[in-house]
Amino acid sequence: EAPALFRPDTIMEVTANYVEDVVAVSFRNITDAVHRATRLLDAYRELLAKSRLDDLTGVLNRSALFERIERVSAEISLPTAILFIDVDNFKTINDTHGHLVGDHVLRITAARLADLCNSNTVLGRIGGDEFVIAMFDDEEPLTTNEPEQLRRRLRRAARAPIDLNDSTLSIELSVGIAHNPGESTLE
């Protein structure tokens, strides 16, 4: 396949055959087929990405989260710690301000959590107002203090005011930490 020299925006399939000292070169316009295949591949990639991400927050959904944790565990090591995160009094936010504000709070919370994650963590939403962060060792093993430091940073980031149309709202997070001494599986 090659771009056509004298027909801009045209992709040509070039075929050469050699039979009994004769070379036959043929050209076929495949522009439409290439564009159809590109659109189909783009649609597939978009569908795949959407099937792996939580629609509301954009972080990994529950099944993709557990799959990613299992894959990283198999490739590198088991998680050193898993943080279970819950937005405190989220039902009250929905009841008081409405579900659109609740959705906004979840999107902002997910973005703040993601900002504090690095390449050694996996973040996902497991449902409702609950998130999970799995922490993995990099070159050096995590200290037992690192999950606690992350917990403090997460809670501090969550307290920053969230702008609503006519007011602001602050939230609190409950964050539980499950430490892995090295032999525990994800279950």
Side-chain angles (χ1 to χ4, degrees):
E1 293 177 17
L5 296 176
F6 302 106
R7 296 181 69 188
D9 301 322
T10 302
I11 300 170
M12 303 297 285
E13 179 182 66
V14 181
T15 308
N17 294 307
Y18 177 79
V19 177
E20 298 179 13
D21 296 330
V22 176
V23 176
V25 179
S26 60
F27 298 88
R28 184 168 64 109
N29 184 342
I30 59 168
T31 305
D32 290 340
V34 168
H35 289 304
R36 266 194 313 277
T38 300
R39 284 193 304 274
L40 185 60
L41 188 56
D42 289 345
Y44 172 75
R45 285 183 180 137
E46 182 180 341
L47 184 60
L48 182 61
K50 284 184 177 182
S51 73
R52 316 258 319 130
L53 299 178
D54 177 64
D55 288 345
L56 182 63
T57 62
V59 299
L60 292 175
N61 62 27
R62 181 186 185 97
S63 62
L65 169 73
F66 291 132
E67 183 181 303
R68 176 87 47 92
I69 292 171
E70 290 286 355
R71 190 173 73 236
V72 174
S73 296
E75 293 173 3
I76 299 171
S77 68
L78 293 168
T80 303
I82 296 183
L83 285 74
F84 295 88
I85 303 155
D86 182 78
V87 178
D88 292 346
N89 302 312
F90 185 71
K91 182 178 180 336
T92 303
I93 294 169
N94 272 339
D95 291 347
T96 304
H97 300 281
H99 289 278
L100 290 177
V101 169
D103 290 351
H104 180 66
V105 166
L106 288 176
R107 281 191 293 275
I108 297 294
T109 301
R112 290 176 179 175
L113 297 176
D115 285 345
L116 294 172
C117 289
N118 59 30
S119 62
N120 299 326
T121 57
V122 177
L123 165 67
R125 180 175 174 216
I126 59 172
D129 61 336
E130 298 171 338
F131 298 86
V132 165
I133 296 175
M135 298 180 75
F136 293 89
D137 290 335
D138 54 5
E139 292 88 38
E140 297 183 26
L142 290 175
T143 66
T144 55
N145 197 32
E146 288 179 77
E148 182 58 41
Q149 291 172 351
L150 179 58
R151 177 197 338 229
R152 284 193 296 271
R153 290 195 316 268
L154 293 169
R155 294 189 74 204
R156 189 171 38 251
R159 287 185 198 110
I162 297 172
D163 290 326
L164 306 177
N165 289 335
D166 54 353
S167 63
T168 61
L169 177 70
S170 290
I171 63 166
E172 291 285 335
L173 297 179
S174 292
V175 182
I177 300 173
H179 292 275
N180 185 359
E183 57 276 343
S184 298
T185 65
L186 180 58
E187 289 95 27

